[in-house]
C-alpha cells in the first residue's frame, strides 16, 4: 500500500445562530467566514452567546481517508478590553455537537483581530473520524463566547475555517492508463 498524507482547509458554507447553547443571539452569523466583516454578539457580564454553528464545509478527501487531525481557526476581537473567552469550541458530526470541548489558545480577546486556533494536525478531538464523516454536510464546528468580566462587550468573529489532516491509500488509484 502507498499512503499519502494531505490536508484541506475549507470555509463552511453555512454559519447560523444556534440557540441550543447560551442566551444571547449572534448578529449576522453568516459573516463569521467573511474576510472583512464578522459576526457579532454583545454580551453583558456573565452572559454566554448562542452557538455559531458552522457546517457544509465541502471537504473532498477520498472516502477511505483516515483523519489524523482537525484544526479550527478564526479571528476574534472584543469591542472593549474585556474578559471574553470561548466557552465552547466543539466539532459537529452529522449536525450534532460532539462531546469534546476545546479552548482557543488565547484566553482573552483584545481590541484588534487575533488569530485563534483549536486542534492540531495530529489532534482528533478524542474521537475517530473518517473521510465520510468530514465530507458530510453536517460536519463542522460550534463556537460560543462568554463574557467572564464585569463590563459589557461585543465579540466579533471572522475568517472561520477548518483544516482536516488525513492520509489515504493510493495503491488502487487509477491514473492515466495504468494502476498506480
Amino acid at each position: 500500500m502507498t499512503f499519502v498524507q494531505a490536508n484541506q482547509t475549507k470555509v463552511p458554507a453555512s454559519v447560523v445562530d444556534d440557540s441550543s447553547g447560551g442566551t444571547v443571539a449572534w448578529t449576522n452569523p453568516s459573516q463569521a467566514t467573511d474576510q472583512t466583516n464578522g459576526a457579532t454578539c454583545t454580551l453583558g457580564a456573565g452572559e454566554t452567546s448562542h452557538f455559531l454553528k458552522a457546517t457544509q464545509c465541502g471537504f473532498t478527501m477520498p472516502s477511505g481517508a483516515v483523519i489524523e487531525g482537525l484544526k479550527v481557526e478564526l479571528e476574534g476581537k472584543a469591542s472593549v478590553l474585556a474578559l471574553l473567552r470561548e466557552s465552547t469550541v466543539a466539532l459537529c458530526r452529522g449536525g450534532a455537537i460532539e462531546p469534546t470541548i476545546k479552548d482557543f489558545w488565547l484566553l482573552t480577546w483584545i481590541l484588534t483581530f487575533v488569530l485563534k486556533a483549536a486542534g492540531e494536525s495530529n489532534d482528533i478531538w478524542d474521537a475517530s473520524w473518517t473521510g465520510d464523516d468530514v465530507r458530510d454536510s453536517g460536519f463542522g464546528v460550534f463556537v460560543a463566547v462568554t463574557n467572564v468580566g464585569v463590563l459589557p462587550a461585543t465579540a466579533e468573529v471572522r475568517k472561520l475555517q477548518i483544516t482536516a489532516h488525513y492520509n489515504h491509500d493510493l495503491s488502487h488509484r487509477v491514473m492515466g492508463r495504468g494502476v498506480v
Side-chain angles (χ1 to χ4, degrees), residues 7-165:
N7 66 67
Q8 292 180 16
T9 299
K10 298 291 184 175
V11 173
S14 172
V15 184
V16 297
D17 176 82
D18 183 323
S19 63
S20 66
T23 58
V24 182
W26 287 90
T27 301
N28 300 316
S30 63
Q31 290 184 338
T33 58
D34 194 82
Q35 296 295 305
T36 307
N37 300 306
T40 59
C41 185
T42 301
L43 301 166
E47 289 185 319
T48 298
S49 72
H50 287 171
F51 291 125
L52 277 175
K53 181 180 179 183
T55 57
Q56 300 178 14
C57 299
F59 284 104
T60 59
M61 73 275 299
S63 64
V66 176
I67 305 302
E68 300 292 335
L70 295 160
K71 183 176 182 179
V72 176
E73 295 173 291
L74 61 79
E75 287 187 352
K77 79 171 186 175
S79 61
V80 297
L81 217 54
L83 293 174
L84 295 180
R85 71 177 309 263
E86 304 76 26
S87 56
T88 303
V89 180
L91 294 177
C92 179
R93 185 190 313 249
I97 193 167
E98 285 284 298
T100 298
I101 295 174
K102 299 216 178 244
D103 288 328
F104 289 116
W105 294 334
L106 299 175
L107 176 61
T108 58
W109 292 34
I110 60 175
L111 299 174
T112 58
F113 281 107
V114 175
L115 177 65
K116 298 168 173 287
E120 291 292 332
S121 62
N122 61 353
D123 183 353
I124 56 171
W125 301 54
D126 298 326
S128 52
W129 297 89
T130 65
D132 291 337
D133 292 328
V134 174
R135 283 194 335 266
D136 185 86
S137 64
F139 171 78
V141 65
F142 285 90
V143 176
V145 177
T146 298
N147 183 349
V148 295
V150 295
L151 298 174
T154 299
E156 186 170 357
V157 172
R158 70 178 186 186
K159 296 185 181 180
L160 176 64
Q161 62 184 24
I162 304 172
T163 301
H165 299 267

